[in-house]
Amino acid sequence: MPDAKQSTVAITGAGSGLGRDMALKLAARGYRVFGTALSADEITDLEKATDGAATLTLVDITDEDAVTAWVDQVSAELGQDGLDVLISNAGILTPGPLEVLPLAEIKREFDVNVFGGLSVINAFLPALRASRGRIVLIGAMTGRFPIPFNGPSSASKAALEAIADLYRAELKPFGIDVVMAQAGNMRTGGPAKSAAALQQVADSMTEEQRALYGEAFATFTGALNSSQASGLSSEASADRVIELAEQVPAPIRGAVGEDAEQILRLVREKSDAELDAMRLQLIGLGDA
């Protein structure tokens, strides 16, 4: 009997955090793992941790030429079997009041979270068609419930919600499933980065901006740092995303974490006015 075909997965942002944990767990499940990383140390670390079952490549997903070169390399190794799963995971967070944030930083977040993801997905579509594979996009509950001072992230994740629905329709004739993983707060290394980013925004405000937003932004900062610190662990988050990646039939979307489940339920049940009141509570401008 011929050997069973080894399952394959490509993960962007696989060098750290959630991406790394997914790579470790999928390699342990027998997958051949390909991924992107941002440093040589991340590459060496993961290849050693998986005994060579995971191969990472230095790729900035906002560089279309670099994405094309990486995908061509992976596709050549995959051959006619194609790619079974693509997890679009790479992303950044740019917190702060929209009036305060430089437009270039907002554009950068969309370049990574939206356009970089699109570049990777489109480049892998021939390999995914060959296997009638699955795409999993790592979104967020804020894609359905945007929160103040989290504008670029909320808006980019909302864009991913629409993109997932569009891909699901456009790729259905080719047997490619598209799943949106709607993440809540996660302890994936992100909280420390978020806290640093929040502090940087606060420090960079002018006196006028601080007078306008300082108190509300400080309330938001405290709430976000607290919620992220108590969020779902990186390992549990990875388990949930893998569940969505392997579930048959493929789900359209799924929450990652109890907080995401609760928020998404409220979005379905509450009126727009009630949801606005919830947003104001987050920044200390509404009744508890």
Side-chain angles (χ1 to χ4, degrees):
M1 295 289 292
D3 292 336
K5 173 184 173 295
Q6 184 180 24
S7 296
T8 55
V9 60
I11 307 170
T12 60
S16 63
L18 176 63
R20 182 181 185 275
D21 282 321
M22 290 189 294
L24 286 169
K25 290 175 177 290
L26 286 166
R29 294 168 73 90
Y31 281 76
R32 178 74 176 96
V33 180
F34 303 92
T36 67
L38 294 177
S39 75
D41 288 343
E42 290 178 347
I43 293 173
T44 301
D45 171 69
L46 190 60
E47 289 184 351
K48 181 178 180 181
T50 61
D51 292 326
T55 301
L56 302 189
T57 304
L58 282 174
V59 180
D60 176 352
I61 65 169
T62 67
D63 181 339
E64 193 169 357
D65 289 338
V67 168
T68 298
W70 172 57
V71 173
D72 285 349
Q73 176 186 345
V74 172
S75 297
E77 184 168 339
L78 293 171
Q80 64 181 9
D81 288 332
L83 178 68
D84 294 311
V85 182
L86 169 62
I87 303 179
S88 182
N89 167 72
I92 60 174
L93 176 67
T94 309
L98 285 174
E99 182 180 4
V100 171
L101 292 172
L103 188 58
E105 292 186 14
I106 298 173
K107 289 181 177 179
R108 171 64 179 170
E109 178 138 349
F110 272 79
D111 280 342
V112 175
N113 293 3
V114 180
F115 303 123
L118 280 171
S119 176
V120 171
I121 291 170
N122 284 340
F124 267 121
L125 283 181
L128 288 161
R129 268 192 286 267
S131 68
R132 300 177 72 84
R134 181 174 300 189
I135 300 167
V136 180
L137 291 87
I138 305 300
M141 62 185 182
T142 53
R144 289 296 181 92
F145 181 65
I147 61 176
F149 304 146
N150 190 43
S153 178
S154 295
S156 63
K157 296 302 186 181
L160 287 183
E161 290 278 348
I163 286 168
D165 289 343
L166 293 168
Y167 268 133
R168 192 177 304 108
E170 293 175 0
L171 300 178
K172 185 175 180 59
F174 314 118
I176 298 174
D177 298 319
V178 180
V179 180
M180 171 58 74
Q182 298 167 306
N185 290 299
M186 296 184 291
R187 302 195 310 275
T188 62
K193 294 179 181 178
S194 297
L198 290 163
Q199 188 60 50
Q200 183 178 2
V201 172
D203 292 343
S204 68
M205 285 186 188
T206 65
E207 288 301 320
E208 180 181 5
Q209 291 169 341
R210 194 168 289 112
L212 291 169
Y213 295 111
E215 185 175 347
F217 187 65
T219 300
F220 166 77
T221 296
L224 182 62
N225 286 337
S226 175
S227 61
Q228 287 202 334
S230 61
L232 194 64
S233 72
S234 182
E235 293 81 2
S237 299
D239 286 336
R240 174 57 174 155
V241 175
I242 291 170
E243 178 185 355
L244 295 172
E246 295 184 332
Q247 185 175 325
V248 178
I252 290 175
R253 54 179 51 87
V256 180
E258 292 183 4
D259 57 343
E261 290 183 4
Q262 180 181 10
I263 287 293
L264 294 169
R265 177 180 56 79
L266 291 173
V267 168
R268 293 191 298 269
E269 296 175 353
K270 298 291 185 179
S271 69
D272 288 340
E274 290 171 322
L275 294 174
D276 271 353
M278 289 171 56
R279 291 185 183 92
L280 291 173
Q281 289 175 21
L282 286 173
I283 55 176
L285 297 179
D287 296 330

